[in-house]
Amino acid sequence: MKQPNFQKSLIAAAVATLLGSPAVLAQQNEDAKAEDGKLERIEVTARRTNESLQEVPVSVSAFGEGELQRDGIEDITELQYKMPNTTFQVSRGTNSTLTAYIRGIGQQDPLWGFEPGVGIYIDDVYVARPQGAVLEVLDVQRVEVLRGPQGTLYGKNTIGGAMKYVTRELTGYNEFEIKGTVGTFNQRDLKVSGQTALADNFYVGGAFATLNRDGFGEFVNTGAENYNKELMTGRFNAKWLVNKDINVKFAADWTQDDSNARGGHREQESLLSDKPRLTDVYDSYSAMPTWNEVETEGYSLTVDWAINNDWMFKSITAYREGFTNTNIDFDSTVNPVLLVPAVYEDDQTTQEFQFMYRDDRLDFVGGLYFYEGEACGEFGTVLGLLNLSIDTGGCVDTSSEALFGQATYRLDDQWSVTLGGRYTRDEKDADVFRYTYAGVKFLDRGDYSADPIVVNSDFTTQADWSEFSPQASVSYQVDPAVMLYASYSNGFKSGGVDMRADVSLNPDASKPYDPETVDTFEFGVKSELLDGRLRLNAATFFSDYQDMQVTVQRAIEGGGIDSQVLNAADSTVQGLELESTFAATPTLNFTGSLGYIDAEFNSVEFFNSDTQQVEDVSDLWSFQNTPEVTANLGFTKEFALESGSMVWSTSISYRDDTQIFELPSPLDEDGYSLTNTSLVWYSNSGQWTVGLHAKNVFDKEYRLSGYNFGSDLVENIVTGYYGDPRTVSLSVGYQF
């Protein structure tokens, strides 16, 4: 590689470091072999500045590009098995919609207008909607997951935590990489990426991937594939070094997912169909087309300016949009019992201004954040056997402004104190409709001229909320290898409007629900022991979760579903987390993580439309998608060969019993373990890699989610969605 002919000043290098734009050296440090058996330094930007993982008083996990490629990680959902108290999963009948929970806080329902509890960020740009948020690993430098409320620096809807997807930095070097993968179920993947300098001060780069796989099963009555993959994604980057103090970066990304909508596995025999219940959990029936289309794209412009030796400024301007058109058969039979065609569309514009200051004792990050977004959608509830169709839809316009700041002051070489806060104001305008029609009707009204027989809902509403989220922490550097910290943080998730509201069943359903908040106290230790060969980080936390937004959907007699979103619950969440890496020898590393969480509802009150009474069901409810124990144990062993080196890595992950919904149901999953193993050869030149990856080695069958309406709608509707079976893939990569 030939380095472009230009000179960077020290202050420009500081901009790259302090403004969260890690230079190539940071990645080299992350992927470098440990010297003398010591562990390498891991850089993160959890506090919007570049710091060592061991210096940040935050419970955070980080995964570098080298580790992701070595383990054959394909998308971010696979990381849940490497982290404590974390759930990243594909949502039910979809392929690229994300269900994310951290420490018991998240979002089960991916309906438009509902806010996530875990913030997803692509290069500091907030991704507001879960559709298309199952991010593929492409052109990525590292992934960081911050646990606990991140309401000060990240703000909007990070009540549970935040996940940062950091793409590769443009360096101006000539680089090209191509990687092909084949595997079981006719997997056929191709990834291409590269970058170059068009001038001494102007760099460009890009990446493209086409990812394809046959289904794990099929829709038996139609022959269509089930759990298949047909996806293309790409990104383009450009960087302009205006002068020694200013650089401008542009990024664009897009994804097109044409995989079939997923069909669920019937957990109970059908009451109406003469078709047998299928034994293969990846096979299904469907009474509607199984096509699905998800499109997302985003653009961002980032300006970094080193004002002087102490002050720096950053501007992030971004726009994102998404479109989803899908069909989901809830009951998974050949009968049209409960069919749900759906269309979602959203766009968002964000602007963030950051000011940063650093001297020998004080680090400060502060600024302004603005968000404008519109989320629209419409879905049908086709009850074919009842000869009824219900159309539900509407739009939510959201405006959000925030003022934030956080400062860390080093009292001496051992003590540091951090104080921060964020003031946020959210405003939402929503229109909601819900109409019931006689007959079978799909979403295209142009083919259906009949008037609705019932206007269940047709209203507009507006609400606004403001919230101040404080944060404080103190850290004590016992010695160069051990740091203790204690912190308090507050987070909130925005209020909203129930887009399924049925005013005919519940007159209060049109009222906006308020934000939910959490106060978390955390105590932790970060240490590197045994002369830098053992990294041991631990944290314990206690959270007071208030005004929890509870989504309740109940099938009612005569057809229809009563939906409510209420600030109906208060709860307590407490637990501990442990992450460790041990360099037993210069060529053998062990890794491990352990999470324990005790989450319980103190009170849950909601309106029962059947009894017309408010009921407290806290003694019946438990936290969803929150296993009590999560654990991972793995090793990496390197073997020296004449042609290069061979690295063998294996991990075993465990997730305890998991309740899918707040109420116990037949969908709840017992604890299970998964084993993954990889064998990767690296050539001496560093240009060639060959990887053999086996996942779910013992072909464990495990359920992730589902729909549960029992037999309240004429038919038993208990359908489950499952994790991937055993897969084996072979990858060959070349780079220069």
Side-chain angles (χ1 to χ4, degrees), residues 390 392 432-436 453-459 500-510 556-557 559-563 607 609-610 612:
I390 305 170
T392 304
V432 178
F433 66 83
R434 187 176 178 96
Y435 305 137
T436 299
I453 58 174
V454 176
V455 177
N456 306 81
S457 296
D458 192 350
F459 64 89
R500 295 192 189 90
D502 191 333
V503 178
S504 67
L505 296 175
N506 179 6
D508 291 334
S510 63
I556 62 172
E557 295 181 6
I561 297 175
D562 177 19
S563 173
F607 177 78
S609 57
D610 289 332
Q612 295 292 300

PDB file of all heavy atoms in Angstrom, residues 390 392 432-436 453-459 500-510 556-557 559-563 607 609-610 612:
ATOM      1  N   ILE A 390     -60.451  -5.825   9.075  1.00  0.00           N
ATOM      2  CA  ILE A 390     -60.238  -4.600   9.847  1.00  0.00           C
ATOM      3  C   ILE A 390     -58.983  -3.923   9.317  1.00  0.00           C
ATOM      4  O   ILE A 390     -57.913  -4.543   9.265  1.00  0.00           O
ATOM      5  CB  ILE A 390     -60.078  -4.904  11.348  1.00  0.00           C
ATOM      6  CG1 ILE A 390     -61.281  -5.696  11.866  1.00  0.00           C
ATOM      7  CG2 ILE A 390     -59.902  -3.618  12.136  1.00  0.00           C
ATOM      8  CD1 ILE A 390     -61.099  -6.247  13.274  1.00  0.00           C
ATOM      9  N   THR A 392     -56.311  -0.919   9.905  1.00  0.00           N
ATOM     10  CA  THR A 392     -55.789  -0.041  10.954  1.00  0.00           C
ATOM     11  C   THR A 392     -54.600   0.715  10.400  1.00  0.00           C
ATOM     12  O   THR A 392     -53.724   0.116   9.759  1.00  0.00           O
ATOM     13  CB  THR A 392     -55.360  -0.850  12.186  1.00  0.00           C
ATOM     14  OG1 THR A 392     -56.448  -1.639  12.646  1.00  0.00           O
ATOM     15  CG2 THR A 392     -54.889   0.071  13.304  1.00  0.00           C
ATOM     16  N   VAL A 432     -55.085   8.421  13.599  1.00  0.00           N
ATOM     17  CA  VAL A 432     -55.299   6.978  13.703  1.00  0.00           C
ATOM     18  C   VAL A 432     -56.683   6.640  13.158  1.00  0.00           C
ATOM     19  O   VAL A 432     -57.659   7.329  13.457  1.00  0.00           O
ATOM     20  CB  VAL A 432     -55.195   6.504  15.165  1.00  0.00           C
ATOM     21  CG1 VAL A 432     -55.456   5.007  15.269  1.00  0.00           C
ATOM     22  CG2 VAL A 432     -53.833   6.853  15.751  1.00  0.00           C
ATOM     23  N   PHE A 433     -56.742   5.600  12.346  1.00  0.00           N
ATOM     24  CA  PHE A 433     -58.044   5.096  11.909  1.00  0.00           C
ATOM     25  C   PHE A 433     -58.087   3.586  12.090  1.00  0.00           C
ATOM     26  O   PHE A 433     -57.070   2.896  12.035  1.00  0.00           O
ATOM     27  CB  PHE A 433     -58.351   5.479  10.461  1.00  0.00           C
ATOM     28  CG  PHE A 433     -57.438   4.839   9.436  1.00  0.00           C
ATOM     29  CD1 PHE A 433     -57.667   3.550   8.966  1.00  0.00           C
ATOM     30  CD2 PHE A 433     -56.346   5.541   8.934  1.00  0.00           C
ATOM     31  CE1 PHE A 433     -56.832   2.972   8.027  1.00  0.00           C
ATOM     32  CE2 PHE A 433     -55.510   4.962   7.989  1.00  0.00           C
ATOM     33  CZ  PHE A 433     -55.747   3.676   7.533  1.00  0.00           C
ATOM     34  N   ARG A 434     -59.284   3.084  12.282  1.00  0.00           N
ATOM     35  CA  ARG A 434     -59.521   1.642  12.405  1.00  0.00           C
ATOM     36  C   ARG A 434     -60.952   1.385  11.945  1.00  0.00           C
ATOM     37  O   ARG A 434     -61.906   1.827  12.595  1.00  0.00           O
ATOM     38  CB  ARG A 434     -59.307   1.187  13.851  1.00  0.00           C
ATOM     39  CG  ARG A 434     -59.353  -0.339  14.065  1.00  0.00           C
ATOM     40  CD  ARG A 434     -59.032  -0.645  15.515  1.00  0.00           C
ATOM     41  NE  ARG A 434     -59.089  -2.061  15.828  1.00  0.00           N
ATOM     42  CZ  ARG A 434     -58.042  -2.884  15.849  1.00  0.00           C
ATOM     43  NH1 ARG A 434     -56.838  -2.397  15.571  1.00  0.00           N
ATOM     44  NH2 ARG A 434     -58.172  -4.153  16.153  1.00  0.00           N
ATOM     45  N   TYR A 435     -61.078   0.690  10.813  1.00  0.00           N
ATOM     46  CA  TYR A 435     -62.393   0.452  10.211  1.00  0.00           C
ATOM     47  C   TYR A 435     -62.631  -1.048  10.078  1.00  0.00           C
ATOM     48  O   TYR A 435     -61.725  -1.791   9.692  1.00  0.00           O
ATOM     49  CB  TYR A 435     -62.488   1.083   8.819  1.00  0.00           C
ATOM     50  CG  TYR A 435     -62.175   2.566   8.771  1.00  0.00           C
ATOM     51  CD1 TYR A 435     -61.375   3.079   7.755  1.00  0.00           C
ATOM     52  CD2 TYR A 435     -62.689   3.445   9.717  1.00  0.00           C
ATOM     53  CE1 TYR A 435     -61.093   4.434   7.686  1.00  0.00           C
ATOM     54  CE2 TYR A 435     -62.408   4.804   9.662  1.00  0.00           C
ATOM     55  CZ  TYR A 435     -61.605   5.292   8.643  1.00  0.00           C
ATOM     56  OH  TYR A 435     -61.324   6.629   8.582  1.00  0.00           O
ATOM     57  N   THR A 436     -63.850  -1.462  10.338  1.00  0.00           N
ATOM     58  CA  THR A 436     -64.241  -2.859  10.160  1.00  0.00           C
ATOM     59  C   THR A 436     -65.152  -2.974   8.941  1.00  0.00           C
ATOM     60  O   THR A 436     -66.119  -2.212   8.801  1.00  0.00           O
ATOM     61  CB  THR A 436     -64.980  -3.384  11.402  1.00  0.00           C
ATOM     62  OG1 THR A 436     -64.112  -3.307  12.534  1.00  0.00           O
ATOM     63  CG2 THR A 436     -65.409  -4.835  11.206  1.00  0.00           C
ATOM     64  N   ILE A 453     -68.547  -1.211   8.087  1.00  0.00           N
ATOM     65  CA  ILE A 453     -69.746  -1.453   8.891  1.00  0.00           C
ATOM     66  C   ILE A 453     -69.582  -0.882  10.298  1.00  0.00           C
ATOM     67  O   ILE A 453     -70.573  -0.644  10.992  1.00  0.00           O
ATOM     68  CB  ILE A 453     -70.084  -2.952   8.953  1.00  0.00           C
ATOM     69  CG1 ILE A 453     -68.914  -3.753   9.532  1.00  0.00           C
ATOM     70  CG2 ILE A 453     -70.443  -3.479   7.571  1.00  0.00           C
ATOM     71  CD1 ILE A 453     -69.233  -5.230   9.757  1.00  0.00           C
ATOM     72  N   VAL A 454     -68.304  -0.694  10.709  1.00  0.00           N
ATOM     73  CA  VAL A 454     -68.034  -0.087  12.009  1.00  0.00           C
ATOM     74  C   VAL A 454     -66.829   0.829  11.859  1.00  0.00           C
ATOM     75  O   VAL A 454     -65.819   0.441  11.264  1.00  0.00           O
ATOM     76  CB  VAL A 454     -67.734  -1.146  13.097  1.00  0.00           C
ATOM     77  CG1 VAL A 454     -67.363  -0.464  14.418  1.00  0.00           C
ATOM     78  CG2 VAL A 454     -68.910  -2.076  13.288  1.00  0.00           C
ATOM     79  N   VAL A 455     -66.934   2.035  12.379  1.00  0.00           N
ATOM     80  CA  VAL A 455     -65.778   2.925  12.493  1.00  0.00           C
ATOM     81  C   VAL A 455     -65.267   2.774  13.923  1.00  0.00           C
ATOM     82  O   VAL A 455     -65.783   3.389  14.860  1.00  0.00           O
ATOM     83  CB  VAL A 455     -66.148   4.381  12.180  1.00  0.00           C
ATOM     84  CG1 VAL A 455     -64.935   5.291  12.393  1.00  0.00           C
ATOM     85  CG2 VAL A 455     -66.666   4.512  10.756  1.00  0.00           C
ATOM     86  N   ASN A 456     -64.282   1.916  14.095  1.00  0.00           N
ATOM     87  CA  ASN A 456     -63.761   1.648  15.433  1.00  0.00           C
ATOM     88  C   ASN A 456     -63.003   2.837  15.993  1.00  0.00           C
ATOM     89  O   ASN A 456     -63.083   3.146  17.186  1.00  0.00           O
ATOM     90  CB  ASN A 456     -62.836   0.435  15.409  1.00  0.00           C
ATOM     91  CG  ASN A 456     -63.485  -0.786  14.802  1.00  0.00           C
ATOM     92  OD1 ASN A 456     -63.543  -0.915  13.594  1.00  0.00           O
ATOM     93  ND2 ASN A 456     -63.991  -1.686  15.647  1.00  0.00           N
ATOM     94  N   SER A 457     -62.223   3.489  15.131  1.00  0.00           N
ATOM     95  CA  SER A 457     -61.444   4.666  15.544  1.00  0.00           C
ATOM     96  C   SER A 457     -61.239   5.560  14.337  1.00  0.00           C
ATOM     97  O   SER A 457     -61.066   5.076  13.209  1.00  0.00           O
ATOM     98  CB  SER A 457     -60.070   4.270  16.106  1.00  0.00           C
ATOM     99  OG  SER A 457     -60.183   3.508  17.279  1.00  0.00           O
ATOM    100  N   ASP A 458     -61.267   6.849  14.576  1.00  0.00           N
ATOM    101  CA  ASP A 458     -60.923   7.836  13.549  1.00  0.00           C
ATOM    102  C   ASP A 458     -60.678   9.145  14.283  1.00  0.00           C
ATOM    103  O   ASP A 458     -61.597   9.916  14.530  1.00  0.00           O
ATOM    104  CB  ASP A 458     -62.044   7.977  12.522  1.00  0.00           C
ATOM    105  CG  ASP A 458     -61.597   8.777  11.303  1.00  0.00           C
ATOM    106  OD1 ASP A 458     -60.494   9.370  11.354  1.00  0.00           O
ATOM    107  OD2 ASP A 458     -62.341   8.814  10.300  1.00  0.00           O
ATOM    108  N   PHE A 459     -59.424   9.371  14.677  1.00  0.00           N
ATOM    109  CA  PHE A 459     -59.149  10.543  15.509  1.00  0.00           C
ATOM    110  C   PHE A 459     -57.751  11.074  15.238  1.00  0.00           C
ATOM    111  O   PHE A 459     -56.900  10.391  14.662  1.00  0.00           O
ATOM    112  CB  PHE A 459     -59.280  10.199  17.000  1.00  0.00           C
ATOM    113  CG  PHE A 459     -58.283   9.183  17.506  1.00  0.00           C
ATOM    114  CD1 PHE A 459     -57.042   9.582  17.989  1.00  0.00           C
ATOM    115  CD2 PHE A 459     -58.595   7.829  17.516  1.00  0.00           C
ATOM    116  CE1 PHE A 459     -56.129   8.648  18.471  1.00  0.00           C
ATOM    117  CE2 PHE A 459     -57.693   6.890  17.995  1.00  0.00           C
ATOM    118  CZ  PHE A 459     -56.454   7.303  18.467  1.00  0.00           C
ATOM    119  N   ARG A 500     -52.915   1.145  17.212  1.00  0.00           N
ATOM    120  CA  ARG A 500     -53.954   0.122  17.083  1.00  0.00           C
ATOM    121  C   ARG A 500     -55.222   0.498  17.860  1.00  0.00           C
ATOM    122  O   ARG A 500     -56.124  -0.325  18.002  1.00  0.00           O
ATOM    123  CB  ARG A 500     -53.463  -1.225  17.622  1.00  0.00           C
ATOM    124  CG  ARG A 500     -52.320  -1.857  16.870  1.00  0.00           C
ATOM    125  CD  ARG A 500     -52.176  -3.302  17.356  1.00  0.00           C
ATOM    126  NE  ARG A 500     -50.981  -3.945  16.855  1.00  0.00           N
ATOM    127  CZ  ARG A 500     -49.812  -3.940  17.466  1.00  0.00           C
ATOM    128  NH1 ARG A 500     -49.689  -3.289  18.613  1.00  0.00           N
ATOM    129  NH2 ARG A 500     -48.771  -4.559  16.952  1.00  0.00           N
ATOM    130  N   ALA A 501     -55.272   1.686  18.386  1.00  0.00           N
ATOM    131  CA  ALA A 501     -56.338   2.055  19.314  1.00  0.00           C
ATOM    132  C   ALA A 501     -57.724   1.763  18.743  1.00  0.00           C
ATOM    133  O   ALA A 501     -58.042   2.125  17.605  1.00  0.00           O
ATOM    134  CB  ALA A 501     -56.231   3.540  19.662  1.00  0.00           C
ATOM    135  N   ASP A 502     -58.547   1.105  19.529  1.00  0.00           N
ATOM    136  CA  ASP A 502     -59.933   0.812  19.171  1.00  0.00           C
ATOM    137  C   ASP A 502     -60.827   1.524  20.183  1.00  0.00           C
ATOM    138  O   ASP A 502     -61.087   1.016  21.279  1.00  0.00           O
ATOM    139  CB  ASP A 502     -60.182  -0.696  19.181  1.00  0.00           C
ATOM    140  CG  ASP A 502     -61.524  -1.059  18.560  1.00  0.00           C
ATOM    141  OD1 ASP A 502     -62.443  -0.220  18.591  1.00  0.00           O
ATOM    142  OD2 ASP A 502     -61.654  -2.196  18.052  1.00  0.00           O
ATOM    143  N   VAL A 503     -61.283   2.707  19.792  1.00  0.00           N
ATOM    144  CA  VAL A 503     -62.070   3.534  20.703  1.00  0.00           C
ATOM    145  C   VAL A 503     -63.433   2.913  20.965  1.00  0.00           C
ATOM    146  O   VAL A 503     -64.042   3.140  22.017  1.00  0.00           O
ATOM    147  CB  VAL A 503     -62.205   4.963  20.128  1.00  0.00           C
ATOM    148  CG1 VAL A 503     -63.068   5.834  21.023  1.00  0.00           C
ATOM    149  CG2 VAL A 503     -60.833   5.594  19.947  1.00  0.00           C
ATOM    150  N   SER A 504     -63.905   2.076  20.019  1.00  0.00           N
ATOM    151  CA  SER A 504     -65.207   1.446  20.229  1.00  0.00           C
ATOM    152  C   SER A 504     -65.174   0.453  21.378  1.00  0.00           C
ATOM    153  O   SER A 504     -66.205   0.175  21.992  1.00  0.00           O
ATOM    154  CB  SER A 504     -65.664   0.746  18.943  1.00  0.00           C
ATOM    155  OG  SER A 504     -64.823  -0.355  18.638  1.00  0.00           O
ATOM    156  N   LEU A 505     -63.999  -0.103  21.684  1.00  0.00           N
ATOM    157  CA  LEU A 505     -63.862  -1.032  22.803  1.00  0.00           C
ATOM    158  C   LEU A 505     -63.407  -0.336  24.078  1.00  0.00           C
ATOM    159  O   LEU A 505     -63.788  -0.730  25.178  1.00  0.00           O
ATOM    160  CB  LEU A 505     -62.860  -2.135  22.447  1.00  0.00           C
ATOM    161  CG  LEU A 505     -63.241  -3.058  21.291  1.00  0.00           C
ATOM    162  CD1 LEU A 505     -62.100  -4.021  20.990  1.00  0.00           C
ATOM    163  CD2 LEU A 505     -64.512  -3.825  21.619  1.00  0.00           C
ATOM    164  N   ASN A 506     -62.566   0.680  23.916  1.00  0.00           N
ATOM    165  CA  ASN A 506     -62.010   1.380  25.074  1.00  0.00           C
ATOM    166  C   ASN A 506     -61.969   2.867  24.755  1.00  0.00           C
ATOM    167  O   ASN A 506     -61.107   3.324  24.005  1.00  0.00           O
ATOM    168  CB  ASN A 506     -60.602   0.861  25.381  1.00  0.00           C
ATOM    169  CG  ASN A 506     -59.966   1.569  26.567  1.00  0.00           C
ATOM    170  OD1 ASN A 506     -60.603   2.371  27.244  1.00  0.00           O
ATOM    171  ND2 ASN A 506     -58.698   1.278  26.799  1.00  0.00           N
ATOM    172  N   PRO A 507     -62.886   3.661  25.292  1.00  0.00           N
ATOM    173  CA  PRO A 507     -62.953   5.085  24.959  1.00  0.00           C
ATOM    174  C   PRO A 507     -61.673   5.849  25.283  1.00  0.00           C
ATOM    175  O   PRO A 507     -61.404   6.901  24.682  1.00  0.00           O
ATOM    176  CB  PRO A 507     -64.117   5.587  25.824  1.00  0.00           C
ATOM    177  CG  PRO A 507     -64.943   4.373  26.093  1.00  0.00           C
ATOM    178  CD  PRO A 507     -63.970   3.246  26.185  1.00  0.00           C
ATOM    179  N   ASP A 508     -60.858   5.342  26.198  1.00  0.00           N
ATOM    180  CA  ASP A 508     -59.625   6.036  26.573  1.00  0.00           C
ATOM    181  C   ASP A 508     -58.445   5.671  25.674  1.00  0.00           C
ATOM    182  O   ASP A 508     -57.336   6.175  25.868  1.00  0.00           O
ATOM    183  CB  ASP A 508     -59.256   5.707  28.025  1.00  0.00           C
ATOM    184  CG  ASP A 508     -60.237   6.314  29.016  1.00  0.00           C
ATOM    185  OD1 ASP A 508     -60.861   7.340  28.681  1.00  0.00           O
ATOM    186  OD2 ASP A 508     -60.392   5.745  30.114  1.00  0.00           O
ATOM    187  N   ALA A 509     -58.659   4.786  24.700  1.00  0.00           N
ATOM    188  CA  ALA A 509     -57.549   4.312  23.873  1.00  0.00           C
ATOM    189  C   ALA A 509     -56.932   5.413  23.032  1.00  0.00           C
ATOM    190  O   ALA A 509     -55.784   5.305  22.598  1.00  0.00           O
ATOM    191  CB  ALA A 509     -58.024   3.178  22.972  1.00  0.00           C
ATOM    192  N   SER A 510     -57.673   6.495  22.773  1.00  0.00           N
ATOM    193  CA  SER A 510     -57.150   7.580  21.942  1.00  0.00           C
ATOM    194  C   SER A 510     -56.232   8.530  22.708  1.00  0.00           C
ATOM    195  O   SER A 510     -55.582   9.389  22.097  1.00  0.00           O
ATOM    196  CB  SER A 510     -58.306   8.385  21.345  1.00  0.00           C
ATOM    197  OG  SER A 510     -59.068   8.997  22.374  1.00  0.00           O
ATOM    198  N   ILE A 556     -61.123 -10.653  21.602  1.00  0.00           N
ATOM    199  CA  ILE A 556     -62.402 -10.522  22.290  1.00  0.00           C
ATOM    200  C   ILE A 556     -63.460 -11.332  21.563  1.00  0.00           C
ATOM    201  O   ILE A 556     -63.323 -11.673  20.393  1.00  0.00           O
ATOM    202  CB  ILE A 556     -62.847  -9.047  22.383  1.00  0.00           C
ATOM    203  CG1 ILE A 556     -63.039  -8.474  20.978  1.00  0.00           C
ATOM    204  CG2 ILE A 556     -61.839  -8.234  23.160  1.00  0.00           C
ATOM    205  CD1 ILE A 556     -63.661  -7.103  20.982  1.00  0.00           C
ATOM    206  N   GLU A 557     -64.527 -11.628  22.279  1.00  0.00           N
ATOM    207  CA  GLU A 557     -65.608 -12.412  21.694  1.00  0.00           C
ATOM    208  C   GLU A 557     -66.260 -11.635  20.560  1.00  0.00           C
ATOM    209  O   GLU A 557     -66.454 -10.427  20.643  1.00  0.00           O
ATOM    210  CB  GLU A 557     -66.653 -12.744  22.764  1.00  0.00           C
ATOM    211  CG  GLU A 557     -66.133 -13.656  23.869  1.00  0.00           C
ATOM    212  CD  GLU A 557     -67.204 -13.978  24.892  1.00  0.00           C
ATOM    213  OE1 GLU A 557     -68.369 -13.578  24.659  1.00  0.00           O
ATOM    214  OE2 GLU A 557     -66.887 -14.626  25.901  1.00  0.00           O
ATOM    215  N   GLY A 559     -64.943 -11.314  17.579  1.00  0.00           N
ATOM    216  CA  GLY A 559     -63.945 -10.865  16.606  1.00  0.00           C
ATOM    217  C   GLY A 559     -63.335  -9.545  17.009  1.00  0.00           C
ATOM    218  O   GLY A 559     -63.971  -8.679  17.609  1.00  0.00           O
ATOM    219  N   GLY A 560     -62.093  -9.365  16.672  1.00  0.00           N
ATOM    220  CA  GLY A 560     -61.393  -8.135  16.976  1.00  0.00           C
ATOM    221  C   GLY A 560     -60.381  -8.316  18.086  1.00  0.00           C
ATOM    222  O   GLY A 560     -60.404  -9.312  18.820  1.00  0.00           O
ATOM    223  N   ILE A 561     -59.496  -7.344  18.186  1.00  0.00           N
ATOM    224  CA  ILE A 561     -58.436  -7.387  19.185  1.00  0.00           C
ATOM    225  C   ILE A 561     -58.406  -6.052  19.904  1.00  0.00           C
ATOM    226  O   ILE A 561     -58.319  -4.987  19.279  1.00  0.00           O
ATOM    227  CB  ILE A 561     -57.067  -7.663  18.533  1.00  0.00           C
ATOM    228  CG1 ILE A 561     -57.076  -9.047  17.873  1.00  0.00           C
ATOM    229  CG2 ILE A 561     -55.950  -7.569  19.549  1.00  0.00           C
ATOM    230  CD1 ILE A 561     -55.829  -9.372  17.101  1.00  0.00           C
ATOM    231  N   ASP A 562     -58.518  -6.094  21.212  1.00  0.00           N
ATOM    232  CA  ASP A 562     -58.451  -4.897  22.042  1.00  0.00           C
ATOM    233  C   ASP A 562     -56.991  -4.600  22.337  1.00  0.00           C
ATOM    234  O   ASP A 562     -56.290  -5.411  22.936  1.00  0.00           O
ATOM    235  CB  ASP A 562     -59.229  -5.131  23.341  1.00  0.00           C
ATOM    236  CG  ASP A 562     -59.128  -3.931  24.288  1.00  0.00           C
ATOM    237  OD1 ASP A 562     -58.785  -2.836  23.819  1.00  0.00           O
ATOM    238  OD2 ASP A 562     -59.398  -4.121  25.487  1.00  0.00           O
ATOM    239  N   SER A 563     -56.522  -3.437  21.886  1.00  0.00           N
ATOM    240  CA  SER A 563     -55.129  -3.039  22.088  1.00  0.00           C
ATOM    241  C   SER A 563     -55.071  -1.838  23.019  1.00  0.00           C
ATOM    242  O   SER A 563     -55.877  -0.914  22.906  1.00  0.00           O
ATOM    243  CB  SER A 563     -54.487  -2.688  20.738  1.00  0.00           C
ATOM    244  OG  SER A 563     -53.201  -2.149  20.926  1.00  0.00           O
ATOM    245  N   PHE A 607     -56.841  -1.566  31.929  1.00  0.00           N
ATOM    246  CA  PHE A 607     -58.290  -1.611  31.787  1.00  0.00           C
ATOM    247  C   PHE A 607     -58.697  -2.893  31.078  1.00  0.00           C
ATOM    248  O   PHE A 607     -58.247  -3.176  29.972  1.00  0.00           O
ATOM    249  CB  PHE A 607     -58.771  -0.390  30.995  1.00  0.00           C
ATOM    250  CG  PHE A 607     -60.259  -0.369  30.734  1.00  0.00           C
ATOM    251  CD1 PHE A 607     -61.141   0.018  31.729  1.00  0.00           C
ATOM    252  CD2 PHE A 607     -60.769  -0.734  29.497  1.00  0.00           C
ATOM    253  CE1 PHE A 607     -62.504   0.046  31.485  1.00  0.00           C
ATOM    254  CE2 PHE A 607     -62.126  -0.708  29.246  1.00  0.00           C
ATOM    255  CZ  PHE A 607     -63.002  -0.316  30.242  1.00  0.00           C
ATOM    256  N   SER A 609     -61.346  -4.661  29.080  1.00  0.00           N
ATOM    257  CA  SER A 609     -62.513  -4.252  28.300  1.00  0.00           C
ATOM    258  C   SER A 609     -63.693  -5.209  28.473  1.00  0.00           C
ATOM    259  O   SER A 609     -64.834  -4.840  28.194  1.00  0.00           O
ATOM    260  CB  SER A 609     -62.140  -4.144  26.809  1.00  0.00           C
ATOM    261  OG  SER A 609     -61.623  -5.368  26.336  1.00  0.00           O
ATOM    262  N   ASP A 610     -63.418  -6.440  28.905  1.00  0.00           N
ATOM    263  CA  ASP A 610     -64.515  -7.385  29.149  1.00  0.00           C
ATOM    264  C   ASP A 610     -65.252  -7.053  30.439  1.00  0.00           C
ATOM    265  O   ASP A 610     -66.481  -7.057  30.494  1.00  0.00           O
ATOM    266  CB  ASP A 610     -63.978  -8.814  29.202  1.00  0.00           C
ATOM    267  CG  ASP A 610     -63.539  -9.320  27.833  1.00  0.00           C
ATOM    268  OD1 ASP A 610     -64.093  -8.846  26.830  1.00  0.00           O
ATOM    269  OD2 ASP A 610     -62.630 -10.169  27.779  1.00  0.00           O
ATOM    270  N   GLN A 612     -64.741  -4.154  32.139  1.00  0.00           N
ATOM    271  CA  GLN A 612     -64.826  -2.697  32.270  1.00  0.00           C
ATOM    272  C   GLN A 612     -64.255  -2.229  33.613  1.00  0.00           C
ATOM    273  O   GLN A 612     -64.705  -1.241  34.190  1.00  0.00           O
ATOM    274  CB  GLN A 612     -66.285  -2.223  32.126  1.00  0.00           C
ATOM    275  CG  GLN A 612     -66.878  -2.480  30.754  1.00  0.00           C
ATOM    276  CD  GLN A 612     -66.242  -1.617  29.663  1.00  0.00           C
ATOM    277  OE1 GLN A 612     -66.298  -0.393  29.727  1.00  0.00           O
ATOM    278  NE2 GLN A 612     -65.639  -2.271  28.683  1.00  0.00           N
TER     279      GLN A 612
END
